[in-house]
Amino acid sequence: MAGTVQVDAVVVGAGMSGLYMVKRLTDMGLDVRAFEVGDNVGGTWYWNRYPGARVDLESFDYSFSFDDGLQQEWNWTERYAAQPEILKYLNHVADRFDLRKHFTFETRVESAAFDENRNLWIIKTSGGETVEAKYFISGAGVLSTPKPPEIEGLDNFRGKWYHTGRWPHEGVDFTGLRVAQIGTGSSGIQVAPVVAEQAKHLTVFQRTPVYCVPTDNYKLTEEMRNTVKAHYTERRETSRHNRYGVPAEFPTIKAFEVSEEDRRQKYEEAWGEKGHLLAFRMTYADVLADEAANKTVADFLGAKIREIVKDPVTAERLVPKTYPFGTKRPCLGIRFYEIFNEDHVDLVSLHETPIERITETGILTSDGTLHEVDVMVFATGYDALTGAILRMDITGRGHRKLRDKWKDGPRAYLGISTNEFPNFFMITGPLSPGPLNNMAVSIEQHVEWVSDCIKYMEKNGFATIEAQEQPEQEWFDHVQEVVGNTLYLKANSWYLGANVPGKPRVFIPYLGGAGTYRATCDEVAKNGYRGFTLEKSKVEA
Ligand code: NA7
């Protein structure tokens, strides 16, 4: 076909997944084209430039482990790196391994259709290009499609508004302005204190309160870095087999097997210097499985909020009461609760006074108050886990649309690949541990599994690999069974698609633990890709 380019593989996205995927495939000698909507590499860290954006796991762990030279030469400056530093790191990775040349930037993959006669994916881009490839791999990200603020009247607002996931590159100066912030998830709790520092007035509109643990961030010294670098191999290995992808042992002791005093001490440590995103989830084995155990954490955190926030009414509004701790993603913040002690910061509980609509000058709540503002910040989250994949028009065998197949929720064997869509792989796809784990570890595991699979196919002359229907259904059932043994279904979280109106309510990430999941994937591969059908070409050349 005139004007059509043929390559071995097309990769979507220039975030951590896309960068490493391209590296692995080109190292194997494959011809790869990669597409990215942004004008540069970085993925999440390219888009999420809002002030205060910061990783909530230690920088040492939220980084690639695949190349020792890379991890030895890179010097993280902060315990929890801020967005500019992570973006710089990902640019360094792109340059160090000369990956940029494989990417076409400012270009979206609009559609991908599998041609059954030729066993090829036909990929069309927003740049008008058509590319044919044997393999089609999505590294489009799990939290990369911002959820539009579905609030009536936004078009009428005369001031400017911003979404944290699409922050202007030139930044925003809030000095002297009255600001409304909607949303108090991970992004909201990070951006609010920075906006509060600049703004004349900040009103935070909170729908569901979060559990926010303070960040014990500090500058890293040469000595600290050298200590980690000297033991990086063991640190990485522990992370790979840990439940959450961090260098720690998952506890076996349950909350009520120790005294109240011991529990309290452990929680103080998790709140303090040992605090990180997963710290409280890793205090006791049953925190996310047993309501009474969970309540000990929730009570501890509630007491901390009441201690910090001076106004008792505001404090009460900030204490989560409607879901167990950890079943919505907990947050790591810097001075989040403290800002509510400042005179120019207010909290509006949308449970008490929901938003009626946005007007030309502000936000009207159900009690008749018009909160007049100059600027609005939407920290309202994402169409998580499936949004970026389904945004592409993907058509498999028999003209089957992925959007139709997933209308009642995603189905994907191991969260990697889906029946009727041969040679299509998803990096940290739905039904894999993905964002319940350290994403850097999840991404490396998937990229390595997928590239090893492709290597196996090429070596053995296979034309297609396709997840079988029954193992795919069994995997889905297993994912749901595992979550059924936890408290996770008691929250309206984005893990369940509950934040997007109309999205099917299905628990999407796999909760069985990242270490166990890795072992399952490895075992499947070792057994000749059990649960997948591999076929030699049906078409004679
Ligand atoms: P999240 O965690 O989905 O948080 C979004 C917040 O916005 C949350 O407080 C929502 O309340 C709130 N929200 C969403 N829609 C509305 C509307 N329509 N009205 C009022 N409030 C709303 O997104 P983040 O960007 O903070 O974090 C996403 C992930 O990125 C994070 O977990 C990290 O992995 C990185 P709700 O809780 O739904 O009631």
Side-chain angles (χ1 to χ4, degrees):
M1 198 191 295
T4 300
V5 180
Q6 282 213 354
V7 292
D8 296 312
V10 162
V11 174
V12 182
M16 281 184 121
S17 304
L19 287 173
Y20 187 32
M21 195 71 237
V22 166
K23 179 180 184 320
R24 290 281 293 205
L25 294 177
T26 52
D27 283 354
M28 281 160 54
L30 297 193
D31 195 7
V32 180
R33 287 287 303 273
F35 296 96
E36 162 60 52
V37 177
D39 68 7
N40 210 334
V41 302
T44 289
W45 302 101
Y46 171 93
W47 296 107
N48 279 256
R49 290 166 192 254
Y50 62 85
R54 192 178 285 283
V55 65
D56 42 23
L57 292 169
E58 292 198 44
S59 321
F60 288 124
D61 304 314
Y62 186 83
S63 57
F64 286 123
S65 74
F66 65 78
D67 187 284
D68 193 46
L70 172 65
Q71 65 186 11
Q72 293 297 332
E73 81 199 3
W74 185 260
N75 291 318
W76 292 108
T77 66
E78 289 186 274
R79 185 181 186 200
Y80 297 97
Q83 175 270 338
E85 187 170 11
I86 304 173
L87 188 58
K88 200 168 144 199
Y89 168 75
L90 293 173
N91 273 276
H92 171 72
V93 171
D95 292 334
R96 190 187 200 280
F97 300 106
D98 198 14
L99 302 173
R100 237 177 267 275
K101 64 185 182 208
H102 304 290
F103 284 88
T104 306
F105 292 100
E106 296 179 89
T107 305
R108 180 182 290 287
V109 168
E110 302 276 15
S111 67
F114 188 68
D115 179 339
E116 283 179 71
N117 294 321
R118 297 187 300 147
N119 288 332
L120 286 177
W121 281 95
I122 301 169
I123 289 125
K124 297 200 168 163
T125 74
S126 57
E129 231 186 317
T130 301
V131 182
E132 293 183 346
K134 180 170 176 183
Y135 304 103
F136 176 48
I137 303 154
S138 172
V142 299
L143 290 151
S144 52
T145 302
K147 187 173 77 83
E150 63 281 304
I151 301 173
E152 195 196 317
L154 181 57
D155 289 347
N156 302 329
F157 181 56
R158 286 204 299 250
K160 292 202 163 134
W161 66 269
Y162 307 93
H163 190 289
T164 46
R166 288 290 179 274
W167 205 257
H169 287 206
E170 63 279 12
V172 181
D173 183 7
F174 292 103
T175 310
L177 299 178
R178 296 163 306 165
V179 183
Q181 180 189 310
I182 299 99
T184 51
S186 300
S187 307
I189 60 92
Q190 288 188 332
V191 75
V194 187
V195 173
E197 262 174 34
Q198 295 175 6
K200 184 164 138 203
H201 194 274
L202 169 65
T203 311
V204 176
F205 293 81
Q206 169 191 268
R207 192 159 71 179
T208 313
V210 283
Y211 290 97
C212 177
V213 176
T215 314
D216 186 19
N217 189 35
Y218 44 75
K219 294 268 177 229
L220 296 168
T221 62
E222 194 62 26
E223 196 188 339
M224 288 170 178
R225 281 193 291 266
N226 288 342
T227 308
V228 170
K229 286 180 187 180
H231 301 283
Y232 236 146
T233 309
E234 304 91 284
R235 186 176 177 121
R236 299 295 202 181
E237 198 48 22
T238 311
S239 301
R240 285 186 194 114
H241 301 287
N242 169 268
R243 185 176 186 84
Y244 295 120
V246 291
E249 295 305 322
F250 190 75
T252 49
I253 295 180
K254 295 183 175 174
F256 292 106
E257 286 172 359
V258 301
S259 70
E260 198 180 333
E261 187 44 40
D262 286 355
R263 266 200 312 275
R264 190 170 176 79
Q265 198 186 325
K266 189 163 263 270
Y267 293 161
E268 286 291 353
E269 283 172 4
W271 176 266
E273 68 193 59
K274 292 200 178 153
H276 59 74
L277 174 70
L278 300 156
F280 276 93
R281 280 182 262 181
M282 293 186 45
T283 46
Y284 296 104
D286 53 348
V287 162
L288 285 161
D290 179 76
E291 287 203 48
N294 189 283
K295 191 169 177 303
T296 62
V297 175
D299 288 349
F300 176 88
L301 294 173
K304 285 288 184 196
I305 298 169
R306 292 180 182 102
E307 220 174 277
I308 299 169
V309 180
K310 305 237 162 28
D311 172 40
V313 177
T314 305
E316 253 358 273
R317 287 181 177 142
L318 286 164
V319 175
K321 298 188 181 86
T322 55
Y323 63 96
F325 164 78
T327 55
K328 278 170 92 77
R329 192 174 190 274
C331 306
L332 208 62
I334 298 179
R335 292 193 67 257
F336 173 63
Y337 294 121
E338 285 81 349
I339 60 171
F340 297 101
N341 292 332
E342 295 174 18
D343 290 341
H344 72 302
V345 180
D346 289 328
L347 179 74
V348 172
S349 161
L350 297 180
H351 277 297
E352 293 168 26
T353 52
I355 295 176
E356 292 263 304
R357 64 175 189 280
I358 294 175
T359 72
E360 287 184 354
T361 56
I363 296 182
L364 181 68
T365 45
S366 64
D367 56 347
T369 309
L370 177 62
H371 303 266
E372 293 207 308
V373 293
D374 305 303
V375 181
M376 292 185 194
V377 172
F378 289 91
T380 40
Y382 298 86
D383 182 353
L385 305 156
T386 52
I389 297 170
L390 290 179
R391 193 173 173 160
M392 298 179 277
D393 180 14
I394 302 177
T395 313
R397 278 194 296 108
H399 306 289
R400 178 76 151 143
K401 295 275 181 198
L402 191 61
R403 283 178 194 146
D404 292 336
K405 174 169 175 177
W406 285 6
K407 70 178 186 332
D408 298 322
R411 299 291 188 281
Y413 183 41
L414 302 174
I416 293 178
S417 193
T418 183
N419 176 250
E420 301 173 282
F421 296 80
N423 295 1
F424 168 52
F425 300 100
M426 293 165 287
I427 304 306
T428 66
L431 310 173
S432 77
L436 288 171
N437 186 33
N438 174 352
M439 278 301 279
V441 174
S442 285
I443 287 168
E444 281 195 334
Q445 186 241 334
H446 263 190
V447 167
E448 286 162 14
W449 194 95
V450 170
S451 49
D452 288 349
C453 172
I454 290 175
K455 194 184 276 173
Y456 176 85
M457 288 180 63
E458 293 300 298
K459 190 169 156 231
N460 295 289
F462 287 111
T464 57
I465 182 166
E466 182 179 349
Q468 293 164 10
E469 200 176 350
Q470 194 186 335
E472 178 168 298
Q473 185 57 43
E474 284 166 7
W475 180 253
F476 178 83
D477 295 342
H478 174 59
V479 173
Q480 304 310 314
E481 185 195 339
V482 173
V483 73
N485 297 326
T486 72
L487 303 172
Y488 274 89
L489 296 176
K490 292 183 184 284
N492 289 321
S493 66
W494 54 255
Y495 301 139
L496 259 171
N499 64 329
V500 177
K503 194 165 171 171
R505 217 180 157 88
V506 163
F507 198 84
I508 308 178
Y510 176 52
L511 262 172
T516 314
Y517 172 78
R518 176 186 293 270
T520 306
C521 293
D522 288 350
E523 202 249 336
V524 163
K526 254 190 221 118
N527 285 286
Y529 294 92
R530 198 190 54 226
F532 289 90
T533 302
L534 287 117
E535 281 187 358
K536 307 258 169 169
S537 182
K538 283 180 247 170
V539 206
E540 290 310 316

